[in-house]
Amino acid sequence: MSDSRNAKSARPLTLRDVSEAAGVSEMTVSRVLRGSGDVSEATRTKVLEASKSLGYVPNRIAGSLASQKVNLVAVIVPSLGNLVFPEVLGGIAEVFETVPLQPVFGVTNYDPEREEAVLYEMLSWRPSGAIIAGLEHSEASRLLLRNAEIPIIEIMDADGEPIDSMVGISHRRAGRRMAAAIIEAGYRRIGFLGTKMPLDHRARKRFEGFTEAMAKAGLEVADQEFYEGGSSLLKGREMTAAILSRAPDLDFLYYSNDMIGAGGLLHCLDNGIEVPGRIGLAGFNGLDLLDGLPRKLATMDACRAEIGREAARLVSRSVGQDSSGGERIILKPKLQLGETLKRRPPAWTDP
Amino acid sequence: MSDSRNAKSARPLTLRDVSEAAGVSEMTVSRVLRGSGDVSEATRTKVLEASKSLGYVPNRIAGSLASQKVNLVAVIVPSLGNLVFPEVLGGIAEVFETVPLQPVFGVTNYDPEREEAVLYEMLSWRPSGAIIAGLEHSEASRLLLRNAEIPIIEIMDADGEPIDSMVGISHRRAGRRMAAAIIEAGYRRIGFLGTKMPLDHRARKRFEGFTEAMAKAGLEVADQEFYEGGSSLLKGREMTAAILSRAPDLDFLYYSNDMIGAGGLLHCLDNGIEVPGRIGLAGFNGLDLLDGLPRKLATMDACRAEIGREAARLVSRSVGQDSSGGERIILKPKLQLGETLKRRPPAWTDP
DNA sequence: TTGAAAGCGCTAACAA
DNA sequence: TTGTTAGCGCTTTCAA
């Protein structure tokens, strides 16, 4: 059972080795190992035993070439450091465990050129489908995707036109809804804190939706602060300190993600700034992380795992089908007011 | 340049299509696209243009089968939700961007059976190497790895015998060192809080090292608390509340990771428990996250990115070489005392 | 139920 | 510098 390497052969095992050990044709071994076609129970057992005792692992490269079928699905995200993406990947993996498809992950670091390179690399393995974050891609990347003739699912965003199918939320709407909730609660001097990354299109869209809804209410973002890189909890503290020292009369801070929002919250609490009495706070993402903070931060769930699951389901469904999906699944994130966004008496606006 | 799909051909493009378009042999096209062999500048340009205008993407399945070379490296980790692993993957990806190797990630969810399945799946693509977290694997998994005849790098742990090479830290030593530091600082009534997961061998080893060093000083862990699943920040709070209500005289809490440690810290601060005066705290991992907390938590850096980089370097070095590495790189994590582990007057031990 | 032949798309090795 | 031939390890197809 484990004597497979008595003589450490350099050559990896092939079907032929198993075929000889079991005394049947390669074809029969192949059938047994794939569980396809009719094989007598006797041969089946014989083959399985031979294969196992040799420690044979089928060569999928040869198999895929011969069958013109690849059970791989390319999954491309901008980053793993941001908690959001591992959660999406988790949702994808969950669904693919139930079907004969295997996700292969690629990371672009928010770089369009890198995205193109990763895409080219992955498509060269002729995957059965591709799931890719965002709707913004270079012209070349879009060409690659279109030419691949496989189901393409663009995820996490719904503001734009997908190449094929899309599953996501509208970040513009998310921004608008949060602005509306803040204004509705009576806050007026509102600051924005976010990432500087010009290539994080979803953060940008949230900001656009936010300012749009503010404008509709006759308001403007009173002050803003941007950051890049580093620990976002610490950055949240620093940015909050900076914006409040510059504009101490702000009564609300909207953060482009929960991590910097949490940092802001900690800064306020440390410095005796009453939340949400003196100042209200809100973030974005609905990270579980928040559950442990001193106050539950107002936020909006980005539907991460659900997006992953839906995307994976779409791929599984359309693999093999010639009718390309063209589906659009737009999820609606739930607003969570938490404990940092509370209605305040109108008088507060000008004490 | 983008007219590649005038007639949406179902058949993907092959070398032959490019060969015909460019008016040269398939072999020449192949050489140009791989940048191998001598090709005249004229043909080179011609081929490149034809290839690009058609939108051709080489079929690596066929290429790998023919050349018996696969530029893939299998990378297997227990989880992505734990910040630690994305950081390791980042280190790996960083190095592989500089060589013609591509990492392919697999996730096991700390499940040995799943590990075996993922391994089998990945090895069936005949990768050039494998990087896998931990030294503990099922007998079958070990057999698979040994038979693969490729460099195997086991990472993140150094307490045990690797199949081939290993890169990691000694978690037993990490536990011992933290215990020594705590005792040295004058703490005596020490509690432990950790994960219940019996399959997180590294957490277990830290605990073992910790109790061992305690015993050597004539001490025992005064109380302990275990958890599973969920937000670890919140869990840290809950566990801390629980252990302190049960054993209010504890003067130190050692957490098996920084996230629950951070939760514990927040709990103490919220409840007016002086840290580190009344009680000291320490975690493990050295997450950047900590930088934003009200107090800098004592911790130990797990050398995550460095482990990833070293492992990737080992693979790149040994790919192609017949002499299998058998290297052992043991990194030494740095103890960071932070602000929650401070020397206290001896009198304190029995006020 | 089993086997034999052909070929998937590419590259190694050799020839021109 | 370019082309030809054979074959990588498997599966499809068809025959027995």
Side-chain angles (χ1 to χ4, degrees):
Chain A
M1 226 260 251
S2 64
D3 55 342
S4 38
R5 277 287 168 291
N6 352 18
K8 193 166 182 175
S9 67
R11 180 181 60 73
L13 294 167
T14 69
L15 218 39
R16 151 167 258 136
D17 296 301
V18 183
S19 146
E20 282 169 1
V24 295
S25 76
E26 292 183 34
M27 204 45 238
T28 303
V29 176
S30 169
R31 281 196 268 255
V32 170
L33 262 26
R34 281 176 300 142
S36 86
D38 290 321
V39 183
S40 77
E41 197 45 43
T43 16
R44 224 185 83 80
T45 316
K46 210 165 45 177
V47 168
L48 250 23
E49 268 171 15
S51 168
K52 202 172 179 186
S53 81
L54 289 171
Y56 172 67
V57 177
N59 184 333
R60 262 191 211 276
I61 300 194
S64 300
L65 182 63
S67 67
Q68 301 286 75
K69 270 178 208 130
V70 185
N71 71 337
L72 261 26
V73 175
V75 178
I76 297 172
V77 295
S79 138
L80 287 177
N82 187 336
L83 255 321
V84 170
F85 299 106
E87 287 192 51
V88 175
L89 301 186
I92 293 173
E94 189 184 309
V95 171
F96 283 157
E97 272 170 41
T98 68
V99 293
L101 287 174
Q102 223 208 323
V104 180
F105 305 130
V107 179
T108 68
N109 297 321
Y110 288 100
D111 174 357
E113 285 194 29
R114 178 117 199 92
E115 176 176 278
E116 208 173 303
V118 169
L119 211 42
Y120 189 84
E121 198 65 35
M122 301 206 120
L123 292 179
S124 75
W125 288 100
R126 299 285 187 269
S128 291
I131 297 175
I132 183 165
L135 293 164
E136 282 77 21
H137 314 288
S138 73
E139 192 48 54
S141 292
R142 268 207 295 277
L143 189 64
L144 281 174
L145 287 168
R146 261 197 306 269
N147 284 1
E149 314 262 16
I150 54 176
I152 308 293
I153 324 288
E154 288 166 278
I155 58 170
M156 310 196 64
D157 195 355
D159 297 315
E161 281 301 307
I163 293 168
D164 179 11
S165 297
M166 81 183 176
V167 182
I169 64 171
S170 164
H171 287 265
R172 268 192 240 283
R173 176 173 175 277
R176 285 199 305 268
R177 296 244 302 154
M178 187 55 92
I182 293 167
I183 295 167
E184 150 85 6
Y187 297 97
R188 289 296 175 270
R189 302 267 315 149
I190 302 167
F192 177 85
L193 302 90
T195 163
K196 195 174 281 166
M197 267 191 297
L199 293 168
D200 186 343
H201 298 284
R202 292 172 289 286
R204 174 179 52 83
K205 288 171 182 176
R206 285 199 297 281
F207 182 51
E208 288 169 3
F210 190 75
T211 52
E212 181 195 319
M214 293 265 291
K216 202 164 283 178
L219 292 173
E220 278 194 354
V221 170
D223 198 355
Q224 29 189 297
E225 183 81 20
F226 296 93
Y227 79 108
E228 40 191 347
S231 154
S232 38
L233 198 59
L234 182 57
K235 281 280 159 49
R237 291 182 92 106
E238 293 169 354
M239 293 163 72
T240 306
I243 202 171
L244 286 182
S245 80
R246 205 167 50 223
D249 61 336
L250 292 178
D251 63 8
F252 200 94
L253 298 177
Y254 179 43
Y255 296 86
S256 78
N257 68 62
D258 283 346
M259 280 301 275
I260 56 174
L265 174 61
L266 291 177
H267 169 85
C268 290
L269 297 182
D270 271 9
N271 292 276
I273 302 172
E274 226 179 288
V275 176
R278 166 67 193 82
I279 197 165
L281 304 176
F284 180 83
N285 266 340
L287 292 185
D288 287 347
L289 182 66
L290 298 180
D291 295 348
L293 291 174
R295 300 255 194 305
K296 210 157 159 39
L297 188 68
T299 190
M300 245 170 139
D301 182 16
C303 310
R304 303 166 304 273
E306 188 54 25
I307 286 176
R309 282 191 294 263
E310 281 297 346
R313 278 187 212 118
L314 275 188
V315 173
S316 344
R317 223 175 292 149
S318 40
V319 161
Q321 307 237 338
D322 39 347
S323 66
S324 61
E327 295 217 43
R328 295 167 184 231
I329 301 182
I330 302 180
L331 301 176
K332 294 276 191 303
K334 290 155 293 290
L335 185 65
Q336 302 163 210
L337 293 183
E339 300 162 338
T340 65
L341 197 176
K342 295 228 159 132
R343 178 174 302 277
R344 46 189 356 217
W348 262 78
T349 53
D350 289 303
Chain B
M1 227 259 251
S2 65
D3 56 343
S4 39
R5 275 290 167 287
N6 353 17
K8 195 166 183 175
S9 67
R11 179 182 61 73
L13 294 167
T14 70
L15 218 39
R16 149 166 259 136
D17 296 300
V18 183
S19 147
E20 283 169 0
V24 295
S25 76
E26 293 183 34
M27 203 48 232
T28 302
V29 176
S30 168
R31 280 197 268 254
V32 170
L33 262 26
R34 280 176 300 141
S36 87
D38 290 320
V39 183
S40 77
E41 197 45 42
T43 16
R44 226 184 81 81
T45 315
K46 208 164 48 177
V47 168
L48 250 23
E49 268 171 14
S51 167
K52 202 172 180 187
S53 80
L54 290 171
Y56 172 68
V57 177
N59 185 334
R60 261 190 211 278
I61 299 193
S64 299
L65 182 62
S67 67
Q68 300 287 77
K69 271 178 206 129
V70 185
N71 72 336
L72 262 25
V73 176
V75 178
I76 298 172
V77 295
S79 137
L80 286 177
N82 187 335
L83 255 320
V84 170
F85 299 107
E87 286 192 52
V88 175
L89 300 187
I92 293 173
E94 189 184 309
V95 172
F96 283 158
E97 272 169 40
T98 68
V99 293
L101 287 174
Q102 222 209 323
V104 180
F105 305 131
V107 178
T108 68
N109 297 322
Y110 288 100
D111 174 357
E113 286 194 28
R114 177 117 200 93
E115 177 176 277
E116 208 173 304
V118 169
L119 212 42
Y120 189 83
E121 198 66 34
M122 300 204 121
L123 292 179
S124 75
W125 288 100
R126 299 285 188 269
S128 291
I131 297 176
I132 183 165
L135 293 163
E136 282 77 20
H137 314 287
S138 73
E139 193 47 55
S141 292
R142 268 207 295 278
L143 189 65
L144 281 174
L145 287 168
R146 260 196 307 268
N147 284 1
E149 314 262 15
I150 54 177
I152 309 293
I153 324 288
E154 288 167 278
I155 59 171
M156 309 195 65
D157 195 355
D159 297 315
E161 281 302 307
I163 293 169
D164 180 11
S165 297
M166 81 183 175
V167 182
I169 64 171
S170 164
H171 288 265
R172 268 193 240 283
R173 176 174 175 277
R176 284 199 305 268
R177 295 245 302 156
M178 186 56 91
I182 293 167
I183 295 166
E184 150 84 7
Y187 297 97
R188 288 296 176 272
R189 302 268 313 149
I190 302 167
F192 177 86
L193 301 90
T195 163
K196 195 174 281 167
M197 269 191 296
L199 293 168
D200 185 344
H201 298 284
R202 291 172 289 286
R204 176 183 48 91
K205 287 171 182 175
R206 285 198 297 280
F207 183 52
E208 288 170 2
F210 189 76
T211 53
E212 181 195 319
M214 294 265 292
K216 202 163 282 177
L219 293 173
E220 278 193 355
V221 170
D223 198 353
Q224 29 188 298
E225 184 80 22
F226 297 93
Y227 80 107
E228 39 190 348
S231 153
S232 38
L233 199 59
L234 182 57
K235 279 282 159 49
R237 292 182 93 106
E238 293 169 354
M239 293 162 72
T240 306
I243 202 171
L244 286 183
S245 80
R246 203 167 52 222
D249 62 336
L250 292 177
D251 63 9
F252 200 95
L253 299 176
Y254 178 43
Y255 296 86
S256 78
N257 69 62
D258 283 346
M259 280 300 275
I260 56 174
L265 174 61
L266 291 177
H267 169 86
C268 290
L269 297 182
D270 271 8
N271 291 275
I273 303 172
E274 226 180 287
V275 176
R278 165 67 194 82
I279 196 165
L281 305 176
F284 180 82
N285 265 338
L287 291 186
D288 288 347
L289 182 66
L290 297 180
D291 294 349
L293 291 174
R295 299 256 193 305
K296 209 157 160 39
L297 188 68
T299 189
M300 245 169 138
D301 182 15
C303 310
R304 303 166 304 274
E306 188 53 26
I307 287 176
R309 282 191 294 262
E310 281 296 348
R313 277 186 213 119
L314 275 189
V315 173
S316 344
R317 222 175 293 148
S318 40
V319 161
Q321 307 237 339
D322 39 347
S323 65
S324 60
E327 295 216 43
R328 295 167 184 231
I329 301 182
I330 302 180
L331 302 175
K332 294 277 192 301
K334 289 154 292 290
L335 185 63
Q336 303 163 209
L337 293 183
E339 301 162 338
T340 65
L341 196 174
K342 295 228 158 131
R343 178 174 302 277
R344 45 188 356 216
W348 262 79
T349 53
D350 287 303

